[in-house]
Amino acid sequence: MKNSNLLGKCGTAPSSAIKPDILSIVLKVTERCNLACPYCYFFFSGDETYKQHPPFIPKGTVGEVIRFIRQAIEAGGVRQVRIGLHGGEPLLLKISKFAELCEAFRSALDPLCELMLIVQTNGVLVTREWVELFSRFKIRVGVSIDGNEAVHNIFRITKKGAGTYAETRRGWNLLNQSMADGELPSANILCVISPQQSGAAIYKHFIQELKASGVNFLLPDMTHDSPEATERYIEGCGDFMIDVFKAWSEYGGRKGFGTVRFIDEVIGPLMNDELCRRSALSKFEPLGQFVISSNGEVSPDDVIRGIAPRFRGLNYNVASHQCQELQESSVWQELENARRSLPSACRECVWKSICGGGAYQHRYSEENGFDNPSVYCSALKRFYGHVTKQVVAAGYPIEEIERRLELAWN
């Protein structure tokens, strides 16, 4: 059967599925960048609090972050801690300081929990010395690449407007080869969807030219109040996602190479009861997600800070607050309520168990808060429908899918 590889191992819940006992922290080790990507949510979303923060995280703040995490672990329930070493561009931090930071986390937290260190970089500053550091501390690496040279250089530019594809590809090649040699736990590509581009062409570039084994594509961070979110733009994003799926299918789907996370996040719930429940109820876990700025300030998930002033400048700090205090605060409770409550317009939707109403930032409007379907709703519905048709064509019973989608929110 042509698409039989789509089925893969979706009937088994992966051990890496997100659970409530995971504490996920984005740590701003730098709050400056060597690039000026115009769509960047951190520097160009209207949130300029970074200007009041240290460019590089002080050693004392690292110690307070460790204390904050240890208290959360000691309070019980936290099995795994994921620390994303972020920016700006995290590799602007001196490599010696970066190594001290990683050593501090490993020494303090490895005995207490399963610790995962992750770095997200634009790849421009990657050298062999950086790769050796990532290997030493078992750091998973994500590289932001927007496509081939022509596409990447439209947005991923220096402050003087020059494209950065050549430098990023050089850094990516170092990381990818080191992963192939067994030095790194993983090296993956992260790409922001561009509706003006061909999703299939970009995916093929990643797996044919860049030899990527893991890729994810992110929808641009827009709310219902974003003027750019026109019908044409939204439908273009849907076309992009379907194009990626078609190309992914051509290369063998789940049994091929070039794993795509946003595809797995749809196929898995369609074919597995437990994954469907998790997708519906736990796709976004605000009570386990914190962003810590270089000065120790704590806020919700990064993209949330840019959608409304009340989500930033909260006066919470790792030096003076504990994890439980934040979880009980009005901000985190608002997000938790959004997770548990489908937008009213979504309650009769057949895809509610896959989508869960959509990402918080995509649901938001000044008028209704989070009580909106995703701004990408029409595009997502088309994508889910296309994937489901292909899974059924590959031999999976439609009755099982229908039963699963109906039960997940009950």
Side-chain angles (χ1 to χ4, degrees), residues 193-199 219-220 222 228-244 374-384:
I193 289 173
S194 176
Q196 300 86 4
Q197 307 298 331
S198 164
L219 288 164
M222 293 188 182
E228 304 90 343
T230 63
E231 180 179 353
R232 180 178 179 182
Y233 188 96
I234 298 304
E235 294 313 308
C237 288
D239 293 340
F240 187 105
M241 296 168 74
I242 291 171
D243 281 350
V244 171
S374 170
V375 70
Y376 293 103
C377 181
S378 59
L380 291 172
K381 285 180 178 178
R382 283 201 298 124
F383 176 64
Y384 299 152

Side-chain angles (χ1 to χ4, degrees), residues 117-137:
L117 295 180
I118 307 161
V119 66
Q120 186 66 37
T121 174
N122 57 43
V124 169
L125 300 176
V126 172
T127 62
R128 182 62 200 171
E129 189 178 10
W130 276 109
V131 173
E132 291 170 356
L133 182 149
F134 298 150
S135 175
R136 174 185 170 191
F137 293 105

Side-chain angles (χ1 to χ4, degrees), residues 388-389 391-392 395-405:
T388 300
K389 287 179 181 178
V391 169
V392 172
Y396 196 80
I398 183 64
E399 296 80 9
E400 278 294 292
I401 293 176
E402 291 174 341
R403 176 191 63 80
R404 192 161 291 125
L405 295 181

Side-chain angles (χ1 to χ4, degrees), residues 13-236:
S15 59
S16 60
I18 294 178
K19 300 177 181 178
D21 58 354
I22 295 173
L23 183 65
S24 181
I25 290 175
V26 172
L27 180 61
K28 299 294 182 178
V29 299
T30 69
E31 298 211 25
R32 302 295 185 269
C33 192
N34 54 334
L35 303 188
C37 309
Y39 57 62
C40 178
Y41 65 83
F42 188 66
F43 293 109
F44 303 116
S45 69
D47 175 12
E48 297 191 342
T49 53
Y50 72 90
K51 294 180 179 180
Q52 303 162 20
H53 301 164
F56 307 106
I57 189 168
K59 184 176 181 179
T61 301
V62 174
E64 295 294 349
V65 172
I66 291 173
R67 182 197 62 81
F68 179 85
I69 295 172
R70 287 177 66 101
Q71 286 180 335
I73 295 172
E74 291 166 0
V78 175
R79 173 187 58 82
Q80 183 187 86
V81 175
R82 300 175 181 176
I83 303 178
L85 305 170
H86 252 252
E89 170 51 45
L91 303 197
L92 285 173
L93 188 65
K94 287 184 179 180
I95 195 167
S96 59
K97 298 295 184 183
F98 202 103
E100 289 177 9
L101 179 150
C102 293
E103 179 63 45
F105 282 127
R106 285 291 179 198
S107 298
L109 301 177
D110 270 339
L112 304 178
C113 66
E114 177 187 345
L115 176 62
M116 181 185 299
L117 295 180
I118 307 161
V119 66
Q120 186 66 37
T121 174
N122 57 43
V124 169
L125 300 176
V126 172
T127 62
R128 182 62 200 171
E129 189 178 10
W130 276 109
V131 173
E132 291 170 356
L133 182 149
F134 298 150
S135 175
R136 174 185 170 191
F137 293 105
K138 300 177 183 178
I139 299 175
R140 300 170 182 265
V141 185
V143 180
S144 300
I145 307 177
D146 280 358
N148 61 24
E149 184 168 10
V151 174
H152 182 92
N153 285 346
I154 295 173
F155 296 112
R156 293 207 157 264
I157 55 177
T158 68
K159 294 175 182 179
K160 294 184 178 181
T164 59
Y165 179 84
E167 295 91 338
T168 297
R169 181 164 182 171
R170 177 198 53 75
W172 165 256
N173 288 342
L174 281 172
L175 293 164
N176 202 37
Q177 185 58 54
S178 296
M179 186 187 68
D181 293 341
E183 297 177 337
L184 295 181
S186 67
N188 298 313
I189 290 175
L190 186 65
C191 177
V192 177
I193 289 173
S194 176
Q196 300 86 4
Q197 307 298 331
S198 164
I202 290 177
Y203 174 76
K204 289 178 181 179
H205 177 75
F206 289 159
I207 63 171
Q208 290 177 342
E209 300 296 324
L210 302 188
K211 310 299 181 185
S213 58
V215 181
N216 197 23
F217 295 85
L218 298 180
L219 288 164
D221 291 313
M222 293 188 182
T223 72
H224 285 270
D225 301 319
S226 300
E228 304 90 343
T230 63
E231 180 179 353
R232 180 178 179 182
Y233 188 96
I234 298 304
E235 294 313 308

